[in-house]
């Protein structure tokens, strides 16, 4: 009996270590990928803010040239300290929860591989739960980026992440840190679904033809990046507009924002910043998935 109790304790320790590792490795993978492609995320956000201010008449190329000429190369990394909280907290939560749910589902059903439907609802659930934790960091990140598209007298001039937290709570109330919560959660649910479900589904199906080769990993990651980009950008546009609001009442909520975006910018307004968004988002997802698989295989958390 004593031997069995010790065996169960050891199994519990191994299981706990495995689940914690999911979160840690996901955060490291996401942070590495995010840092590499961050300048394109900056360009995407600035394009969205500029599009809103000028009725959809915007060129990502022109904004890139203006930023490089007037603000310098460092401007493309502005707000990175705040932005890194997102992959380290949100992405690690989203992916970590997915792998946790995946482990629990496999143990319950005795399966080695989940169905497309199971991957879908587990990725959606993990995405929504993961984002609830970090909406305030999203708000602060958007404020950092939006500042540089505003006249000087309207800029917040936050000195850092913690200064932004303090000032937003003091000047606008604590609930302002959760502006755009609904589109933020929807966005992360769609990201999780768009990146994880096709990635692991494609890997399993291509395994019959390519095996678990580099080609399989790259093709699957590319498909995941494309799919997630297509379904996520409209929600991301709405989220950015809601979160950059300070004490103004430009939008009464998500539905009002959708209606006004359509009226002022047309359908293309929902896809404003598509080129920089895809250029940032797809490689970010691809690198996150590839880094994560590399770390998981290296630490024996995954065998494929």
């Amino acid at each position: 009996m004593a031997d069995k109790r010790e065996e169960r304790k050891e199994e519990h320790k191994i299981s706990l270590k495995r689940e914690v590792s999911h979160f840690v490795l996901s955060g490291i993978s996401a942070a590495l990928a995010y840092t590499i492609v961050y300048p394109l995320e900056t360009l995407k956000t600035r394009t969205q803010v500029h599009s809103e201010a000028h009725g959809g008449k915007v060129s990502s190329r022109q904004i890139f040239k203006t930023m490089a000429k007037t603000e310098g190369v460092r401007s493309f990394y502005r707000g990175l300290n705040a932005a890194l909280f997102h992959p380290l907290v949100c992405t690690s939560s989203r992916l970590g929860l997915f792998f946790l749910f995946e482990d629990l589902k496999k143990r319950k059903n005795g399966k080695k591989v989940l169905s497309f439907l199971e991957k879908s609802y587990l990725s959606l659930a993990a995405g929504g739960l993961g984002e609830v934790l970090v909406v305030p960091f999203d708000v602060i990140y958007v404020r950092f980026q939006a500042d540089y598209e505003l006249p000087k007298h309207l800029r917040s001039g936050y000195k850092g992440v913690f200064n932004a937290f303090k000032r937003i709570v003091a000047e606008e109330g604590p609930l302002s840190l959760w502006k755009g919560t609904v589109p933020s959660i929807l966005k992360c649910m769609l990201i999780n679904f768009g990146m994880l479900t096709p990635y692991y589904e494609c890997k399993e199906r291509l395994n019959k033809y390519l095996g678990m080769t580099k080609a399989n990993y790259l093709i699957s990651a590319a498909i995941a990046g494309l799919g997630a980009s297509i379904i996520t950008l409209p929600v991301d546009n709405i989220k950015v507009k809601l979160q950059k609001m300070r004490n103004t009442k430009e939008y009464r909520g998500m539905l009002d924002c959708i209606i006004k975006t359509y009226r002022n910018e047309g359908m293309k307004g929902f896809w404003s910043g598509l080129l920089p968004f895809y250029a940032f988002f797809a490689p970010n997802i691809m690198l996150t998935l590839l880094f994560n698989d590399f770390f998981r295989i290296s630490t024996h958390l995954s065998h494929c």
Side-chain angles (χ1 to χ4, degrees):
M1 287 292 288
D3 289 342
K4 286 185 178 180
R5 281 198 296 270
E6 287 300 319
E7 189 176 321
R8 281 197 294 269
K9 283 182 181 179
E10 189 62 30
E11 286 177 358
H12 178 71
K13 286 180 182 178
I14 293 171
S15 178
L16 182 61
K17 181 180 177 182
R18 175 184 172 83
E19 305 312 339
V20 170
S21 296
H22 286 322
F23 289 87
V24 173
L25 296 179
S26 295
I28 294 171
S29 303
L32 284 172
Y34 205 78
T35 301
I36 292 170
V37 298
Y38 182 76
L40 293 166
E41 165 69 358
T42 299
L43 182 61
K44 181 271 298 181
T45 301
R46 295 283 287 272
T47 301
Q48 289 173 343
V49 173
H50 195 82
S51 173
E52 180 188 17
H54 297 83
K57 297 175 181 178
V58 62
S59 164
S60 298
R61 182 182 297 179
Q62 186 58 47
I63 289 177
F64 173 82
K65 289 179 180 178
T66 301
M67 287 179 66
K69 184 177 179 180
T70 61
E71 302 172 43
V73 176
R74 291 181 64 183
S75 66
F76 291 96
Y77 278 94
R78 187 175 287 120
L80 179 61
N81 57 344
L84 277 177
F85 276 98
H86 196 277
L88 288 171
V89 179
C90 179
T91 308
S92 66
S93 299
R94 288 191 291 106
L95 299 190
L97 284 171
F98 172 77
F99 294 125
L100 171 61
F101 295 160
E102 182 187 47
D103 280 351
L104 293 174
K105 190 71 176 177
K106 285 178 178 178
R107 287 175 200 164
K108 182 180 178 181
N109 297 345
K111 290 182 175 180
K112 287 187 177 181
V113 176
L114 299 182
S115 68
F116 179 85
L117 180 62
E118 288 169 329
K119 293 187 189 84
S120 298
Y121 68 71
L122 291 181
S123 62
L124 287 166
L129 289 173
E131 176 61 12
V132 170
L133 303 172
V134 294
V135 172
F137 295 108
D138 255 351
V139 172
I140 289 169
Y141 163 70
V142 169
R143 296 288 184 86
F144 271 119
Q145 297 299 339
D147 245 13
Y148 293 89
E149 285 294 327
L150 295 172
K152 286 187 178 180
H153 68 282
L154 292 178
R155 294 178 184 178
S156 301
Y158 300 128
K159 296 176 182 177
V161 178
F162 296 106
N163 175 254
F165 265 114
K166 184 179 177 181
R167 284 185 51 191
I168 290 172
V169 171
E171 297 168 10
E172 305 171 43
L175 290 180
S176 293
L177 289 169
W178 271 269
K179 281 182 178 177
T181 295
V182 173
S184 289
I185 290 173
L186 285 174
K187 176 189 172 184
C188 284
M189 290 175 71
L190 291 173
I191 291 173
N192 246 33
F193 169 75
M195 68 185 283
L196 294 172
T197 304
Y199 179 62
Y200 288 105
E201 189 71 19
C202 286
K203 272 207 313 180
E204 290 161 11
R205 293 180 182 275
L206 288 175
N207 185 38
K208 299 174 184 177
Y209 310 100
L210 301 175
M212 283 301 167
T213 58
K214 290 179 181 178
N216 185 343
Y217 282 80
L218 288 170
I219 293 169
S220 299
I223 292 171
L226 177 62
S229 298
I230 290 171
I231 65 176
T232 302
L233 181 56
V235 179
D236 183 70
N237 267 308
I238 298 303
K239 176 188 78 72
V240 167
K241 288 174 180 175
L242 291 174
Q243 290 181 335
K244 80 176 186 63
M245 286 193 303
R246 291 166 173 81
N247 287 315
T248 58
K249 297 295 180 183
E250 298 165 73
Y251 308 107
R252 294 191 299 272
M254 183 175 172
L255 182 59
D256 184 51
C257 185
I258 291 171
I259 293 170
K260 287 180 177 176
T261 297
Y262 179 73
R263 284 177 181 170
N264 298 332
E265 304 171 51
M267 281 301 294
K268 67 179 182 180
F270 295 103
W271 301 93
S272 176
L274 177 60
L275 183 59
F277 182 77
Y278 178 75
F280 156 77
F281 202 61
N284 183 39
I285 285 178
M286 289 178 67
L287 289 170
T288 299
L289 291 168
L290 293 172
F291 281 143
N292 194 46
D293 261 356
F294 172 77
F295 290 135
R296 281 163 52 79
I297 293 169
S298 299
T299 54
H300 306 292
L301 285 176
S302 174
H303 299 292
C304 64

